[in-house]
C-alpha cells in the first residue's frame, strides 16, 4: 500500500439549506471516494493523507505537485498511473463542523471538486456526472409520468415510472445508512432537500464540462489536458 487517506464527516450545526447542501455534497464525495478506494485503489482526501518518504521520492510527487493545482486528486492520478494502491482508513474519518453557510459558495466548492476530478481522475468525473444527471432526469420526469399515465399503474410503469420509484426508494434507503456513519442535525430536512440538491449537483457538474479553469480564493488556474497549470490570474489589488 502506497498511500492511506481519511475523509471528513461534516456536521451541519444550524442545518439550514446552505449547510445541508454542503453536507449532502460532501457526503456524495465521501461515497464516491470510498467506492473508488475499495474498488480501484484510488481516491484521496488532502485533509488526511500519509505515505512513506521513499514512495514520495520514488514517485516524484514534489515535481508533480509543482505543476498542478491540487494535491489529493493529482496524487491519486500519480498513484494509479504507477500501478500503486491507496486505501481509505475508515477509523480516520474526522467529524468537522466547517460547513459552508451560503448556497452559492457551496455550489462553487462542489464545482471545484468536480474540476479536480475532471483534470486528474476523469473516469471518476464521468461516473459522477452520469450518476447525477441520471438521478436528476428521472426525478424531474416523475410528475410528467404521473400526469401522462392518467393514474394507471401499468401506463405509469410503461412511461418509466417504475424505474423512477426504484431509484428514489433505493436512494432514500441508502441515505438512511448515513445516519449510522455520523451525527446529522435536522435529519428530516436532509431527506426533504435531496431533490433540490440534485439540481445544484447537476448545475455544478455541467459547468465543469465547458471550462478548464479552476477558481480558488479568487485566483484562476488555467489547466491543460494533462492537468498542468498553464496560466495563473490573480485578482487585481484594490487601491
Amino acid at each position: 500500500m502506497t498511500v492511506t487517506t481519511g475523509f471528513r464527516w461534516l456536521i451541519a450545526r444550524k442545518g439550514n439549506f446552505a449547510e445541508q447542501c454542503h453536507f449532502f455534497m460532501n457526503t456524495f464525495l465521501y461515497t464516491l471516494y470510498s467506492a473508488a478506494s475499495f474498488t480501484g485503489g484510488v481516491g484521496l482526501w488532502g485533509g488526511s493523507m500519509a505515505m512513506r518518504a521513499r514512495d514520495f521520492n520514488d514517485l516524484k510527487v514534489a515535481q508533480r505537485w509543482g505543476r498542478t493545482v491540487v494535491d489529493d486528486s493529482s496524487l491519486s492520478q500519480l498513484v494509479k498511473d504507477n500501478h500503486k494502491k491507496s486505501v481509505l482508513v475508515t477509523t480516520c474519518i474526522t467529524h468537522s463542523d466547517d460547513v459552508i453557510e451560503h448556497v452559492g459558495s457551496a455550489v462553487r466548492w462542489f464545482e471545484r471538486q468536480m474540476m479536480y476530478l475532471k483534470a486528474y481522475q476523469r473516469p471518476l468525473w464521468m461516473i459522477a456526472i452520469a450518476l447525477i444527471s441520471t438521478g436528476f432526469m428521472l426525478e424531474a420526469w416523475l410528475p410528467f409520468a404521473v400526469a401522462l399515465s392518467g393514474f394507471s399503474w401499468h401506463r405509469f410503469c410503461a412511461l418509466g415510472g417504475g424505474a423512477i420509484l426504484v431509484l428514489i426508494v433505493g436512494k432514500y434507503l441508502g441515505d438512511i445508512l448515513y445516519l449510522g456513519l455520523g451525527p446529522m442535525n435536522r435529519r428530516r430536512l436532509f431527506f426533504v432537500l435531496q431533490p433540490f440538491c440534485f439540481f445544484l449537483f447537476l448545475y455544478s457538474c455541467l459547468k465543469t464540462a465547458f471550462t478548464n479553469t479552476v477558481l480558488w480564493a479568487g485566483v484562476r488556474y488555467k489547466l491543460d489536458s494533462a492537468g498542468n497549470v498553464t496560466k495563473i490570474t490573480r485578482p487585481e489589488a484594490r487601491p
Side-chain angles (χ1 to χ4, degrees), residues 109-171:
W109 174 83
F110 190 70
E111 178 185 347
R112 190 165 64 248
Q113 309 311 308
M114 290 295 101
M115 278 300 302
Y116 295 153
L117 293 182
K118 177 185 177 182
Y120 306 109
Q121 296 174 270
R122 183 155 299 203
L124 203 56
W125 172 72
M126 296 176 68
I127 290 173
I129 286 188
L131 290 175
I132 295 170
S133 301
T134 301
F136 176 78
M137 287 188 293
L138 287 175
E139 288 189 354
W141 176 247
L142 179 60
F144 296 98
V146 173
L148 294 174
S149 69
F151 298 98
S152 166
W153 173 251
H154 294 290
R155 192 174 302 169
F156 174 74
C157 291
L159 290 168
I164 300 173
L165 291 181
V166 169
L167 171 73
I168 293 176
V169 172
K171 186 179 184 310

Side-chain angles (χ1 to χ4, degrees), residues 1-6 37-38 41-44 48 50 85-90:
M1 197 58 57
T2 305
V3 190
T4 59
T5 184
S37 177
F38 288 106
V42 294
L44 301 171
S48 176
K85 296 290 184 179
S86 67
V87 64
L88 175 67
V89 182
T90 56

